[in-house]
Amino acid sequence: MKLHEYQSKAVLARAGVPVPRGEVADNAEDARRIAAELGGKVVVKAQVLMGGRGKAGGVKLFDDADSAAEFTRELIGKRLVSVQNPQGMVVERVLVAEQVDIAEEYYLSVLLDRDVQKLVMMVSAKGGMDIEEVAATDPGAIARLHVDPAWGLCDYQIRHALEEAAIPKHARQQMVSMIKKLVRAYIDSDADLVEINPCAWTTEGKLVAADAKVSIDDNALFRHPEYQGTAQDSAEDPIEAEAARRGIAYVRLKGDIGIIGNGAGLVMCSIDEVAAAGGRPANFLDVGGGAKAERVKSCVELVMMDPGIKGLLINIFGGITRCDEVAKGILEALEALKLSVPVVARIEGTAAEEGRKLLEGSPLVPATTMREAAKRIVELSYSNS
Ligand code: GDP
Ligand code: MN
């Protein structure tokens, strides 16, 4: 789960990383008050979960509280569009922070290197710009250092990496300390990414995190109830955001045939079969193990929130999941949602007989195999187009 910048900075600050003072606001009046408290010389930053906010017009410097408030008024409710996020995101809040007098911009991050099963720290003197671009055009400008899970990082290793990344000598001592705190922050917050870009060297000779990005490992979210319902509210896709709120594994794709199955493998396979039959899958949705009728209904509802859906394929292989429960859920969904698109269901496994019996007489089209189901739904969905 990606955290907003203001939440990310709080995580870093807790570990002792220097961050500019600031507060979040959702209206111009609050922005004016915060800016005034900070002395008027502030930066106003859109809190949206996307990269490239600066270029998208979501980050601006001001000399007085009134103009900061004015900009906040314009920004709230506006959709920001960037190269990284062409569909854009609506700004609900801004961070009003004291301005940093930036002399130099560096890049710092800690993330998981799954290949070597260790954390890796990345550092570059080319900060402030898109790190993917640096990696593509000048890979030598990024130094990497693996973090030993037992020993952590030693100062000499960090200094070596800073030398390799050509970080200017004057910034190195503070950076060694910052990197150790960054690793601490990563571990203590159950993160799967922490990134500071730009890590700013100020004209007064201080190193501060001018921007911050923290992502929390989804598997650890149960330990962090404080994030519930905050970062997801402006997630990239509204249906994915709703799925996250309902605790459903859903990924939106670009097509028009809705897919529901149980078990990630079976769902992916269903997506492949629909594509092989000439269809365009609209989503990935795994109802999970042992789903009850209520959850199945909630899943159908979610898939149908996508306005372009032309048909729905339900592919269940009952193990722990009971097919009669699934059938009940489908029936409730058909009833409640008054579905006007064709629905094909292939239901097999535990209590499949009972499930199929329940579905008899409903407008739903039964299928015996996954391939047959995929072919049927493609035919039915595109029959009048
Ligand atoms: P991003 O574009 O979403 O990564 O947003 P950033 O917070 O990184 O801001 C983009 C750029 O705005 C940074 O690279 C800086 O050059 C500039 N910027 C952001 N905050 C400040 C600040 O406090 N002072 C100055 N001088 N520039 C800033
Ligand atoms: Mn940035």
Side-chain angles (χ1 to χ4, degrees), residues 295-315:
R295 183 172 173 87
V296 174
K297 182 183 163 202
S298 177
C299 289
V300 175
E301 205 174 77
L302 193 77
V303 168
M304 296 313 295
M305 283 177 194
D306 191 336
I309 298 287
K310 293 199 171 105
L312 177 60
L313 172 67
I314 299 173
N315 185 9

Side-chain angles (χ1 to χ4, degrees), residues 5 43 45 50-54 59 61 98-100 102 105 128 197-198 210-211:
E5 178 189 3
V43 55
K45 313 179 75 175
M50 64 182 221
R53 292 168 305 161
V59 176
L61 307 177
E98 66 182 346
Q99 236 180 69
V100 181
I102 302 180
E105 298 190 319
N197 188 25
D211 186 15

Side-chain angles (χ1 to χ4, degrees), residues 360-372:
E360 270 169 24
S362 78
L364 183 136
V365 182
T368 346
T369 68
M370 171 160 26
R371 182 152 299 167
E372 180 200 329

Side-chain angles (χ1 to χ4, degrees), residues 248-251 253 259-273 283-290 295 315-317 320-321 370:
I248 296 171
Y250 169 97
V251 180
L253 304 171
I259 313 269
I260 292 178
N262 66 323
L266 189 66
V267 180
M268 287 191 269
C269 200
S270 312
I271 289 174
D272 284 349
E273 287 292 350
N283 68 278
F284 168 100
L285 189 154
D286 176 5
V287 296
R295 183 172 173 87
N315 185 9
I316 301 292
F317 192 88
I320 332 169
T321 309
M370 171 160 26

Side-chain angles (χ1 to χ4, degrees), residues 193-245:
L193 166 81
V194 296
E195 183 184 73
I196 304 180
N197 188 25
C199 172
W201 178 253
T202 69
T203 49
E204 299 102 60
K206 285 226 171 73
L207 200 63
V208 299
D211 186 15
K213 195 190 279 178
V214 171
S215 165
I216 305 292
D217 183 343
D218 287 340
N219 297 305
L221 276 178
F222 71 96
R223 288 206 284 238
H224 303 277
E226 69 271 26
Y227 298 132
Q228 251 162 35
T230 57
Q232 301 293 357
D233 47 13
S234 52
E236 290 87 323
D237 181 274
I239 306 180
E240 288 184 1
E242 180 56 28
R245 276 190 284 272

